[in-house]
Amino acid sequence: MPGAALPTLEAPCFLCGSAEAEPLWTTPDRAFAVPGRYTVARCRRCGFLFQRPRVRDDRLADCYPDHYPRHQEPSPRIPFKGSAGRVRAARWALATQLGYERFRDPAASALTRLRAAWLARKLQWDCPPWRGQGRYLDVGCGSGGSLGVAQALGWRTAGIEVDTAAAEKARRFASEIHVGDALTAPFAPGRFDVVTAFHVLEHVPDPVAVVRRMLGWLAPGGLAIIEVPNAGGLGAGLFGGAWSGLELPRHLSHFTPESLTRVIEKAGGRVVWLWHQAKPRYYVWSLGFWLRDRGWDRLARLCEWRPVYGMLKLFLELTLPLARWARRGEVIRIGVAKNPPPSGERAG
Ligand SMILES: [Zn+2]
């Protein structure tokens, strides 16, 4: 795809406002071949990693090709799939681990409960924990994968999506879709019990403002859930400029658990939990980019050849629990609560 690089601007650090940043990595768009080369810089004052210069606001939409995966037909990971036994186990896991009381079946067998304990780990990544009156908002919902899950679990759903075509696909899973960005979405404050943003924050020019908006939409006792790639993880450490999570020019920010926590605190929230996830494909992609950067294209293609890819994947499946355990995952997901207003401060 020939063409000119997207126009950029020299923005200061998104987090501390400092104009001083040193360039770290410069790469082309490895995933979708948007023309140009783009740079990640590190803020000299606070250490935050961000795209600098970054694509101008009025051209951000041009970072996303028509076939961008998140804008395609979604396949929601609805937990009630498979055999009757699996469905019973999923219902028990949702009831006992994630607060879905209406799925509780006192007659559940010991086997169902055992199976549920094993399933719960996966379900907690696919299903939001039940809260309050079950009002759910997904910010940057794409074509509606997460909304589909929430709707199937009994939530009243709403979404925000800037891409018109993706928003149209998401409509079947939500009674309300705002087409536009989070800063202009008209939802009333305190309207939702859970507000999520999965792989959204790294794409927006002002992540603090988006989180502040999300927290504003939470009802008392509500929970915000945010997931981003982890620039403090093992993959970024090993592969540097070849790390698959860089996704230039689409990713404007590169968060670590520390810098994401700073974003949350600046926006008036506090982190209540932080999970790490490590999937083999991220490392295999990074390895391919790393080999190609060194001109070893044949070796890179070898790694993508099914039998070799299968072996790499198996090796990673066995070793990646270590990355999660060491809290150096490829992806971080955090639960965020809104801080009480200053007048309501409690001791301790
Ligand atoms: Zn800074």
Side-chain angles (χ1 to χ4, degrees):
M1 180 167 62
L6 297 175
T8 55
L9 58 90
E10 289 283 339
C13 172
F14 304 171
L15 267 192
C16 77
S18 168
E20 298 289 311
E22 57 184 330
L24 210 57
W25 301 306
T26 298
T27 83
D29 178 0
R30 302 179 194 272
F32 299 110
V34 168
R37 291 174 69 80
Y38 303 89
T39 298
V40 177
R42 175 186 277 134
C43 173
R44 283 193 211 274
R45 191 198 288 165
C46 77
F48 186 56
L49 301 173
F50 61 108
Q51 191 185 121
R52 180 186 161 122
R54 77 162 167 83
V55 175
R56 240 168 45 196
D57 291 34
D58 61 320
R59 299 298 298 278
L60 285 174
D62 296 324
C63 297
Y64 303 87
D66 287 342
H67 59 284
Y68 190 62
R70 216 184 148 104
H71 298 165
Q72 307 311 303
E73 279 308 310
S75 43
R77 289 200 286 266
I78 294 167
F80 307 127
K81 284 180 182 164
S83 67
R86 189 187 186 281
V87 172
R88 278 197 299 274
R91 292 173 69 91
W92 184 258
L94 286 162
T96 55
Q97 306 292 319
L98 291 163
Y100 291 80
E101 274 305 320
R102 68 183 173 286
F103 294 147
R104 188 182 288 271
D105 170 15
S109 69
L111 184 64
T112 293
R113 293 174 199 214
L114 196 67
R115 207 168 165 189
W118 180 79
L119 256 182
R121 226 188 111 81
K122 175 180 154 39
L123 291 185
Q124 68 175 5
W125 284 92
D126 294 342
C127 308
W130 186 261
R131 290 271 167 144
Q133 301 168 42
R135 297 164 300 176
Y136 176 89
L137 171 67
D138 190 28
V139 176
C141 63
S143 52
S146 301
L147 290 173
V149 173
Q151 192 188 53
L153 290 169
W155 295 80
R156 268 182 291 152
T157 52
I160 299 173
E161 174 53 47
V162 74
D163 184 88
T164 316
E168 275 316 307
K169 295 189 178 92
R171 275 187 202 285
R172 82 192 91 152
F173 301 121
S175 46
E176 286 172 89
I177 296 282
H178 170 72
V179 184
D181 73 17
L183 302 182
T184 59
F187 299 115
R191 252 202 65 182
F192 297 98
D193 300 295
V194 166
V195 178
T196 56
F198 298 119
H199 296 264
V200 171
L201 231 48
E202 67 273 29
H203 296 260
V204 301
D206 190 347
V208 175
V210 171
V211 176
R212 193 174 288 131
R213 211 80 224 283
M214 291 174 68
L215 294 173
W217 285 317
L218 285 182
L223 180 72
I225 301 174
I226 293 170
E227 185 175 295
V228 294
N230 179 15
L234 193 62
L238 284 174
F239 297 107
W243 177 48
S244 64
L246 288 185
E247 269 268 347
L248 300 173
R250 284 166 294 285
H251 289 184
L252 307 181
S253 297
H254 304 277
F255 301 100
T256 62
E258 296 71 32
S259 63
L260 184 59
T261 301
R262 266 196 292 143
V263 169
I264 302 309
E265 287 169 358
K266 278 187 86 142
R270 72 190 146 81
V271 176
V272 288
W273 45 258
L274 192 152
W275 303 342
H276 286 250
Q277 171 79 284
K279 285 184 181 160
R281 62 170 183 272
Y282 299 126
Y283 298 90
V284 181
W285 287 338
S286 297
L287 179 64
F289 297 152
W290 188 86
L291 291 170
R292 285 200 168 85
D293 283 357
R294 276 150 192 78
W296 300 339
D297 291 47
R298 273 164 57 187
L299 204 52
R301 278 199 299 275
L302 182 70
C303 291
E304 288 152 10
W305 186 46
R306 279 192 75 97
V308 177
Y309 180 86
M311 272 185 330
L312 281 171
K313 198 162 170 270
L314 179 65
F315 169 74
L316 288 165
E317 295 279 8
L318 295 172
T319 51
L320 287 183
L322 288 174
R324 282 193 290 269
W325 175 76
R327 304 191 72 73
R328 296 287 305 276
E330 287 299 273
V331 162
I332 44 179
R333 185 183 286 194
I334 57 170
V336 180
K338 189 159 57 173
N339 279 330
S343 58
E345 256 172 29
R346 284 159 293 181

